[in-house]
Amino acid sequence: MAGEFKDRVTIYEVAKAAGVSLATVSRVINDTNSVKEETRNKVLNVIKKLGYKPSGLAQALATNKTTSIGVIVPSANYVYISNMLNGIIEICKNKNFTVSLYTTAHSRIDAISSIEKMIKSHVDGVIVFDDELNEEDIEVFNSYNVPVVAINNQIVASKIASIPFGYEHVLKRLMLDYFNKGDKTMTFLHVHNAGRLLSRIENCFIQTHLEHDREYGIINCDDSYNRTYLDFKERFKKVKKEFVIAYRDSIAAAVLNAAEDCGLKVPQDIEVISIIGTKYSSIIRPTISNLYIDMQEVGKRSVYMLVDLINNQLVDKVYKFESYYIKKDSTKF
Amino acid sequence: MAGEFKDRVTIYEVAKAAGVSLATVSRVINDTNSVKEETRNKVLNVIKKLGYKPSGLAQALATNKTTSIGVIVPSANYVYISNMLNGIIEICKNKNFTVSLYTTAHSRIDAISSIEKMIKSHVDGVIVFDDELNEEDIEVFNSYNVPVVAINNQIVASKIASIPFGYEHVLKRLMLDYFNKGDKTMTFLHVHNAGRLLSRIENCFIQTHLEHDREYGIINCDDSYNRTYLDFKERFKKVKKEFVIAYRDSIAAAVLNAAEDCGLKVPQDIEVISIIGTKYSSIIRPTISNLYIDMQEVGKRSVYMLVDLINNQLVDKVYKFESYYIKKDSTKF
DNA sequence: TTGTACGCGTTATCAA
DNA sequence: TTGATAACGCGTACAA
């Protein structure tokens, strides 16, 4: 429609204007081979004058490398995920990779379609932190020769590396310790469809209680601050003593706020821990005891591993992150 | 190195296997023109059997469309930004666009290099929410014919749309109201290099005070919970009455926590508002009065506008988001 | 309805 | 040190 359309400058036009062949221009761009200083400068000047920028598309098509990676997560809206994302992006900047972001919103359909799109777009590698995708799905990438780093998921395959999280060990020790010194029944907040990590931890929770012949509670809870707050305001009308294990800080905060609003004391009456601690664990009052993994570091590490995987020089395909317990004011110990 | 390299299936192999020309395969893929039902099925079967996925690169090179957009923000680590990001991604999924994410970390060098990369990678459009980039920088995109939606930044140019934020109006009314009913001096937390939005608001703050011949305070503060908390713990040894205007929830929380730890009452002794409210305004206790804009909606709107801009059918190039005041427990009014 | 041939903007191989 | 020229994988007039 608009007549002022200004076409992209191509390598060919640069060559013409500089009076050389396009091969020479290509050499200058990639400073490969040797080009006479004189012609190099001539070409560089023309490039600057014309505002030429090589087409990443054409380069990618010719070299079979896009220097872009795909990242797939359930949502960008969780603090621990954006922390990870930030780590990923930071290292990608150093390594000159571009990040394409895909979210599943806990929908398997979205997850599958994301895989399709990534393969179509020739990403050089993929970082997966999403429970909608199982081992089989991830191996689809491999069949298209796309390396994958799977976070919170231990998979072994040729072009797949993984970063598993260690929560069970710490949690179990925490629980055993509490069995000795604590005075409350522990209740686990089960969230429907919240992924494998939470399930694993829930299993650990149950298992440990069974092994030691202890009573425990499990209650369903929405993955929402407001719902959980309301549920617990109701619950705390009857229950006056409880140790609650919540998935995230927001959920833990909902329990804490409900407790306070019901006149219960933390940690005397109610104790709470958050499994995935973030900086909000220290901001919210009372501060929330939590199991911590530095997600920014996870993000960084995942890129390091992926880049090595892409270059066929990754030695150790598994890099485990152990969580550690940070005692704050929401628990006694 | 590894011998098990499996090349990508191309349209040509599909054509050969199906006994048709590659043009026909292309037609089937894009269901353009008419293809006989019989041959279509034949081709589709081969596609499925071979696991063929069209190369986005080649398609993009041929059609001059990448169906990908670039998003540039200071960081993925702020809650209000990830909210926006989530909105952007959601609509992009609907519209079948891929999102490439760039962060500047408040570095102009990073910002400039992001622009370069986006242009190289042929993004169909860009969403800019970053103060490192000024009007001139953004017009670079235009010179390469890349449409831009600028958030929190009103720019007029042919292929640029903008989403300005309205804070001043609400803030001013709030202050005037407080001049009448309030009992404290207002202090503005100045953050070095925090961008135009905060500067604008600071100006409004000063201006309004001057106009009404009122005293006011401005203090420098780091964009960090911990630093701010420590600073205010020190400050509240002397200052016992203050109305503080903070940029974000975390910073506001730092002030609130410091006040509490100094034995000051909120909102009797200390009042606090957060300019960019998020869900944490309601989670943190006391809850934080704030100026709210639904950043998820901003994100969605920005994509709608960008897509229209790309298709040359955007009618209104400016869509303003007005903030509104949400009164919580950290202020009296 | 189908096939041929060219173009998209690069890199890379081979000669010169 | 340079220049032709063939890929790279697709879309699309044009012709059949």
Side-chain angles (χ1 to χ4, degrees):
Chain A
M1 281 286 177
E4 29 93 358
F5 184 77
K6 179 184 150 198
D7 264 335
R8 208 179 165 106
V9 181
T10 73
I11 195 172
Y12 194 76
E13 302 173 45
V14 174
K16 196 169 159 190
V20 298
S21 83
L22 79 171
T24 302
V25 178
S26 176
R27 288 183 188 109
V28 171
I29 297 171
N30 306 305
D31 64 355
T32 171
N33 296 9
S34 36
V35 179
K36 215 193 336 182
E37 191 62 21
E38 195 186 321
T39 39
R40 167 187 306 282
N41 289 332
K42 197 167 51 177
V43 171
L44 285 176
N45 281 334
V46 174
I47 287 181
K48 196 173 293 175
K49 192 187 303 173
L50 266 51
Y52 166 71
K53 295 202 199 313
S55 159
L57 290 178
Q59 287 182 323
L61 193 60
T63 60
N64 201 24
K65 273 173 192 143
T66 53
T67 64
S68 83
I69 70 165
V71 174
I72 181 164
V73 295
S75 157
N77 248 346
Y78 297 112
V79 173
Y80 63 98
I81 290 182
S82 27
N83 288 345
M84 191 185 80
L85 218 55
N86 232 50
I88 290 175
I89 294 176
E90 185 184 330
I91 306 305
C92 279
K93 262 197 283 200
N94 295 345
K95 304 264 181 190
N96 250 298
F97 275 90
T98 286
V99 174
S100 292
L101 185 57
Y102 299 82
T103 64
T104 65
H106 302 292
S107 143
R108 181 158 170 78
I109 294 177
D110 283 6
I112 300 292
S113 108
S114 295
I115 294 184
E116 303 278 321
K117 285 178 191 164
M118 291 192 218
I119 291 175
K120 271 202 64 162
S121 72
H122 286 245
V123 289
D124 288 341
V126 173
I127 295 173
V128 175
F129 180 24
D130 194 281
D131 280 334
E132 293 304 320
L133 266 32
N134 55 45
E135 191 157 339
E136 237 168 57
D137 300 320
I138 291 182
E139 275 168 358
V140 170
F141 285 116
N142 254 19
S143 78
Y144 286 90
N145 220 45
V146 178
V148 176
V149 172
I151 295 177
N152 179 31
N153 209 332
Q154 183 156 349
I155 302 179
V156 268
S158 68
K159 282 281 192 181
I160 300 183
S162 46
I163 299 186
F165 289 158
Y167 279 105
E168 285 91 339
H169 186 65
V170 179
L171 185 62
K172 190 160 187 174
R173 218 173 41 194
L174 185 88
M175 290 168 62
L176 294 183
D177 192 47
Y178 193 80
F179 288 166
N180 283 331
K181 306 188 284 184
D183 58 345
K184 309 183 185 71
T185 303
M186 286 184 153
T187 297
F188 192 91
L189 296 197
H190 174 91
V191 179
H192 179 66
N193 200 17
R196 275 190 292 275
L197 176 57
L198 190 57
S199 303
R200 259 174 45 200
I201 294 174
E202 183 171 341
N203 284 340
C204 167
F205 172 83
I206 297 174
Q207 202 56 41
T208 309
H209 274 82
L210 291 181
E211 281 169 10
H212 294 77
D213 207 30
R214 291 274 182 160
E215 273 184 46
Y216 64 88
I218 291 196
I219 57 185
N220 292 309
C221 126
D222 276 14
D223 190 23
S224 133
Y225 169 85
N226 282 321
R227 294 288 318 165
T228 306
Y229 171 76
L230 293 175
D231 287 350
F232 270 86
K233 262 198 88 172
E234 202 58 37
R235 179 176 180 84
F236 285 149
K237 284 180 183 165
K238 300 179 183 171
V239 179
K240 299 295 181 187
K241 228 169 160 57
E242 191 162 34
F243 186 115
V244 178
I245 301 179
Y247 191 38
R248 306 183 290 114
D249 289 343
S250 297
I251 305 302
V255 177
L256 290 174
N257 287 342
E260 187 192 348
D261 293 351
C262 290
L264 299 175
K265 295 285 177 208
V266 176
Q268 295 82 354
D269 305 322
I270 304 296
E271 295 183 74
V272 179
I273 68 169
S274 163
I275 293 170
I276 308 222
T278 69
K279 71 166 184 172
Y280 287 98
S281 301
S282 310
I283 294 181
I284 288 162
R285 297 293 181 90
T287 54
I288 307 170
S289 299
N290 62 91
L291 268 48
Y292 190 73
I293 286 180
D294 187 334
M295 293 302 287
Q296 178 133 352
E297 283 305 318
V298 171
K300 291 182 182 180
R301 175 58 51 188
S302 68
V303 176
Y304 287 132
M305 292 175 76
L306 185 57
V307 171
D308 283 349
L309 205 54
I310 290 172
N311 298 327
N312 269 315
Q313 52 190 22
L314 180 66
V315 289
D316 219 336
K317 282 191 180 165
V318 180
Y319 190 109
K320 185 167 188 176
F321 273 80
E322 284 291 347
S323 67
Y324 54 95
Y325 178 61
I326 300 182
K327 197 272 175 203
K328 295 278 186 179
D329 297 337
S330 67
T331 57
K332 288 187 188 170
F333 318 108
Chain B
M1 281 285 179
E4 29 95 357
F5 184 78
K6 178 186 150 198
D7 264 333
R8 210 180 163 103
V9 181
T10 73
I11 196 172
Y12 194 76
E13 302 173 46
V14 174
K16 196 169 158 190
V20 298
S21 83
L22 79 170
T24 302
V25 178
S26 174
R27 288 182 189 110
V28 171
I29 297 170
N30 306 305
D31 63 354
T32 172
N33 297 9
S34 36
V35 179
K36 216 196 331 184
E37 193 61 20
E38 196 185 322
T39 40
R40 166 186 307 280
N41 289 332
K42 197 167 48 176
V43 171
L44 284 176
N45 282 334
V46 174
I47 287 180
K48 196 173 294 177
K49 192 186 303 172
L50 266 49
Y52 166 71
K53 294 201 198 312
S55 158
L57 291 179
Q59 286 182 322
L61 195 59
T63 60
N64 200 25
K65 274 175 193 141
T66 53
T67 64
S68 83
I69 69 165
V71 174
I72 180 164
V73 294
S75 157
N77 247 345
Y78 297 111
V79 173
Y80 64 98
I81 290 182
S82 27
N83 288 345
M84 190 185 79
L85 219 54
N86 232 51
I88 290 176
I89 294 176
E90 185 184 329
I91 305 305
C92 278
K93 262 196 284 201
N94 295 347
K95 304 265 180 188
N96 249 296
F97 276 89
T98 285
V99 175
S100 293
L101 185 57
Y102 299 82
T103 64
T104 65
H106 301 291
S107 142
R108 179 156 172 79
I109 294 177
D110 282 8
I112 300 292
S113 107
S114 296
I115 294 185
E116 302 279 320
K117 285 178 191 162
M118 290 191 218
I119 291 174
K120 272 202 62 163
S121 72
H122 286 243
V123 290
D124 288 342
V126 173
I127 295 173
V128 175
F129 181 24
D130 193 282
D131 279 335
E132 293 304 320
L133 267 31
N134 55 45
E135 191 158 339
E136 240 169 56
D137 299 321
I138 291 181
E139 275 169 358
V140 170
F141 284 116
N142 253 17
S143 78
Y144 286 89
N145 222 44
V146 178
V148 176
V149 172
I151 295 176
N152 179 32
N153 208 333
Q154 184 156 348
I155 303 179
V156 268
S158 68
K159 281 281 191 181
I160 300 182
S162 45
I163 299 186
F165 290 158
Y167 279 105
E168 284 93 338
H169 186 64
V170 178
L171 184 62
K172 190 160 185 173
R173 218 173 41 196
L174 185 87
M175 289 167 65
L176 295 184
D177 193 46
Y178 193 79
F179 288 164
N180 283 331
K181 306 189 284 186
D183 58 346
K184 308 184 187 71
T185 303
M186 287 184 151
T187 297
F188 192 92
L189 296 195
H190 173 90
V191 179
H192 179 65
N193 200 16
R196 275 189 292 276
L197 176 56
L198 190 56
S199 302
R200 260 174 43 201
I201 293 174
E202 184 172 341
N203 284 340
C204 166
F205 172 83
I206 297 175
Q207 202 58 40
T208 309
H209 274 82
L210 291 181
E211 281 168 10
H212 293 77
D213 206 31
R214 289 273 185 163
E215 274 185 45
Y216 63 89
I218 291 198
I219 58 185
N220 291 308
C221 126
D222 276 16
D223 191 22
S224 134
Y225 170 85
N226 281 321
R227 294 286 318 165
T228 306
Y229 171 76
L230 293 175
D231 287 351
F232 269 86
K233 262 198 90 172
E234 202 57 36
R235 179 178 181 82
F236 286 149
K237 285 182 184 165
K238 300 179 184 171
V239 179
K240 300 295 180 188
K241 225 170 164 59
E242 192 164 32
F243 186 114
V244 178
I245 301 179
Y247 191 36
R248 305 182 291 113
D249 288 343
S250 297
I251 304 302
V255 177
L256 291 174
N257 287 341
E260 187 191 349
D261 294 351
C262 291
L264 299 176
K265 295 285 177 209
V266 176
Q268 295 83 353
D269 306 323
I270 305 295
E271 296 183 72
V272 179
I273 68 169
S274 163
I275 294 170
I276 309 223
T278 70
K279 72 167 185 173
Y280 287 97
S281 301
S282 310
I283 294 180
I284 288 163
R285 296 296 181 91
T287 53
I288 307 171
S289 298
N290 62 92
L291 266 48
Y292 189 74
I293 286 180
D294 186 333
M295 293 301 288
Q296 177 132 353
E297 283 306 318
V298 171
K300 291 182 181 178
R301 175 59 50 187
S302 68
V303 176
Y304 287 132
M305 291 174 77
L306 185 58
V307 171
D308 283 350
L309 206 53
I310 291 172
N311 298 327
N312 269 314
Q313 53 191 24
L314 180 64
V315 288
D316 220 334
K317 281 190 179 165
V318 179
Y319 190 109
K320 185 166 188 176
F321 273 80
E322 285 291 347
S323 68
Y324 55 95
Y325 179 61
I326 301 182
K327 198 272 174 202
K328 295 278 186 179
D329 296 337
S330 67
T331 58
K332 289 188 189 167
F333 317 109

